[in-house]
Amino acid sequence: MYYVSGFSRLLVRHFLWSQLSEVMIRIGFVGVSPKPSTVQNVLSDQLRLLQIRYEIENIIAEREKVLKLFANLGDNETEEDDLEASPEEIQVLLDKLGSDLCKLNEEKAFIKERIRKKRQTSKKAEEKTKNPEHSEDHSPVVSDNIAEWGLGIISTLLTETILYPMFMTETWMLVQQRDCSWWSAASGLLESIRYQNKHLYDGFFVHCIQSVAHMSLMYPFMRSFRRFFSIPEEEELQKSMRTLLSLVSNEDPFEQGEDEEFEWSAAARKREIVTSFRTVMRNTVAYTLSNWLCHCLLYPLSTCRTIMAMQGSSYLAPSRFTSVFSVMKYLNRTSGISGYYRGFSLQLLTIVPELLLLLSIYTGVSIWIEYSLSEEDFDDEEENEEEIGEEIGDDEFIST
């Protein structure tokens, strides 16, 4: 029942979110124009190009030294060096240097292509700003952050309104002193509503307050954890998710953009998949920790809601409360502050199995990616270097 209600809540909320988003876009309440690439991203790409050039020069110099050593293996002057390195070890070192050089050249070509596309996007944005009368975009009424926050609250309240009877049934299943099914718990709930002073939405008001407070607290917690874990913004997260979904679908996210001349190699694909997977896992851990902290802070509201929901289910929980204020008066009179935190130690321990599950998923998927995806692109190293040499030079990209 717990998994059914959670999955149903996810589906209903996503459906309501998408429908409300389309309505707000149609009436012009929010904008749909993508954000242009920031200066920080462009500068980071240029700095990475400088670093790649430096690494390539070091690898080439080191490879020349190893080649000289390999060519002079039979000379008497290098007899001492022969004792230090065998021909097999030198060959392995040459293969490793060639592999690293190939990877750096691929990354260099990819960053150049990304900078080229960012320049095209920035040119289009400048043309739109210079000629606003030819632009079809309308200025939105509210900002995207406010619209996202409002859509989240509305979709959450509608979802909880629809699925709150499932929570009532789940609570009644837990309160019973005997084994019962979902159907018997629902039948007992309906019978109590029919013959006793019981309502299907008992505790729904405090449940709405808890849901809105939960959403309001999630935003600062997620922002803090994203900064701590160095998680990118939403656009990069969506790109990472599409990259991971390409492993189980026919969609290829590696050939997007206006210029389709750039083709991803197997090694570049694998590195992008590994980076995307780590980004998504960091975001998942951040969401899990934020959700756990919100539940811990709002635990007193959860206690009041549960008491309101389970009253009338058995002789241990008779119908005595008419509102959440009567529940609070009862807890203050009988138990004090500790009455709001009954079972709080179990709530603190719920983070442990969740983190263990995420750790097992991270380990298993990392092993699968490492041994399932190939990197068979190191055979055409010289062809790669010639193609990259024919492209636009680095000085055109690295400029002040």
Side-chain angles (χ1 to χ4, degrees):
M1 185 64 186
Y2 174 79
Y3 297 104
V4 172
S5 61
F7 188 69
S8 302
R9 183 175 289 105
L10 181 64
L11 289 180
V12 173
R13 184 182 177 187
H14 178 72
F15 174 76
L16 293 174
W17 180 289
S18 59
Q19 296 300 319
L20 291 174
S21 300
E22 292 181 0
V23 171
M24 295 181 72
I25 291 174
R26 287 178 182 176
I27 64 178
F29 201 71
V30 295
V32 295
S33 300
K35 296 181 180 180
S37 57
T38 60
V39 178
Q40 184 179 2
N41 293 333
V42 176
L43 289 178
S44 63
D45 288 338
Q46 293 178 348
L47 291 175
R48 179 55 184 161
L49 272 181
L50 285 173
Q51 185 181 3
I52 289 175
R53 287 179 61 183
Y54 176 74
E55 293 177 359
I56 288 176
E57 291 175 358
N58 290 338
I59 290 178
I60 291 176
E62 186 177 356
R63 189 171 63 169
E64 289 178 356
K65 293 179 181 179
V66 176
L67 286 173
K68 289 180 180 180
L69 178 63
F70 185 76
N72 299 326
L73 277 177
D75 297 344
N76 295 328
E77 298 178 357
T78 59
E79 186 175 356
E80 297 180 357
D81 295 335
D82 294 342
L83 298 176
E84 296 180 359
S86 62
E88 291 79 8
E89 293 176 350
I90 294 177
Q91 185 62 45
V92 171
L93 182 58
L94 286 174
D95 293 340
K96 182 180 181 302
L97 291 175
S99 174
D100 295 339
L101 186 62
C102 182
K103 291 180 180 179
L104 289 174
N105 284 327
E106 289 169 357
E107 185 178 359
K108 177 181 171 183
F110 170 69
I111 292 177
K112 285 184 178 181
E113 185 69 18
R114 187 165 59 187
I115 293 177
R116 186 180 295 111
K117 291 180 180 180
K118 287 180 180 179
R119 287 182 174 178
Q120 292 178 356
T121 305
S122 61
K123 287 181 181 179
K124 292 181 181 179
E126 289 177 0
E127 292 177 358
K128 286 184 178 181
T129 55
K130 291 179 181 179
N131 302 319
E133 64 275 3
H134 299 291
S135 178
E136 298 179 356
D137 298 335
H138 301 283
S139 58
V141 179
V142 296
S143 62
D144 293 341
N145 292 331
I146 297 177
E148 183 180 0
W149 186 75
L151 278 176
I153 290 180
I154 295 174
S155 59
T156 299
L157 292 180
L158 291 177
T159 302
E160 299 303 332
T161 302
I162 296 172
L163 299 179
Y164 190 76
M166 296 185 66
F167 167 77
M168 292 283 293
T169 306
E170 180 184 352
T171 304
W172 276 51
M173 289 180 65
L174 298 175
V175 172
Q176 299 298 325
Q177 300 296 317
R178 56 183 177 82
D179 294 337
C180 66
S181 61
W182 178 85
W183 178 254
S184 61
S187 301
L189 176 61
L190 294 176
E191 184 177 356
S192 177
I193 293 173
R194 181 180 300 178
Y195 297 106
Q196 300 180 18
N197 187 17
K198 176 69 178 175
H199 197 273
L200 185 61
Y201 283 85
D202 279 344
F204 181 68
F205 176 72
V206 68
H207 183 67
C208 292
I209 296 177
Q210 182 185 6
S211 300
V212 175
H214 188 277
M215 285 198 60
S216 303
L217 290 174
M218 280 290 291
Y219 181 76
F221 283 144
M222 280 296 296
R223 295 297 298 179
S224 302
F225 281 119
R226 281 186 173 183
R227 291 178 182 176
F228 181 76
F229 292 121
S230 299
I231 301 174
E233 295 298 327
E234 191 68 27
E235 185 178 354
E236 292 295 329
L237 280 175
Q238 292 177 2
K239 180 182 176 182
S240 300
M241 184 59 68
R242 288 194 299 266
T243 302
L244 291 180
L245 291 177
S246 67
L247 298 175
V248 294
S249 64
N250 297 325
E251 182 183 359
D252 190 3
F254 298 97
E255 296 181 358
Q256 296 180 355
E258 299 178 357
D259 301 330
E260 298 184 356
E261 298 178 358
F262 178 77
E263 295 182 358
W264 289 70
S265 62
R269 285 171 180 259
K270 184 173 181 178
R271 287 196 300 273
E272 184 69 17
I273 289 172
V274 170
T275 304
S276 301
F277 173 67
R278 291 175 178 174
T279 301
V280 172
M281 287 301 299
R282 289 201 305 270
N283 186 72
T284 305
V285 171
Y287 179 83
T288 302
L289 293 174
S290 302
N291 187 49
W292 175 71
L293 288 175
C294 291
H295 279 296
C296 290
L297 292 176
L298 300 176
Y299 192 80
L301 293 178
S302 178
T303 302
C304 297
R305 178 197 61 181
T306 304
I307 293 176
M308 287 287 295
M310 72 180 184
Q311 63 175 350
S313 58
S314 65
Y315 67 93
L316 296 176
S319 299
R320 66 175 74 177
F321 307 113
T322 57
S323 65
V324 64
F325 300 105
S326 59
V327 175
M328 296 174 66
K329 290 180 180 179
Y330 173 77
L331 290 176
N332 292 329
R333 186 177 67 254
T334 57
S335 304
I337 301 298
S338 60
Y340 293 95
Y341 289 93
R342 290 178 180 175
F344 184 67
S345 58
L346 295 178
Q347 173 63 37
L348 294 176
L349 294 176
T350 54
I351 191 63
V352 177
E354 292 182 359
L355 292 180
L356 290 177
L357 178 61
L358 292 177
L359 179 61
S360 61
I361 292 175
Y362 178 80
T363 305
V365 176
S366 298
I367 295 174
W368 179 80
I369 291 176
E370 181 66 27
Y371 291 99
S372 298
L373 303 181
S374 61
E375 291 186 5
E376 300 176 354
D377 3 59
F378 307 132
D379 297 333
D380 302 330
E381 178 183 346
E382 295 181 357
E383 296 180 4
N384 258 346
E385 292 179 357
E386 292 178 359
E387 291 177 0
I388 293 173
E390 293 175 358
E391 292 182 356
I392 302 176
D394 299 335
D395 296 335
E396 183 177 345
F397 291 95
I398 307 170
S399 60
T400 59

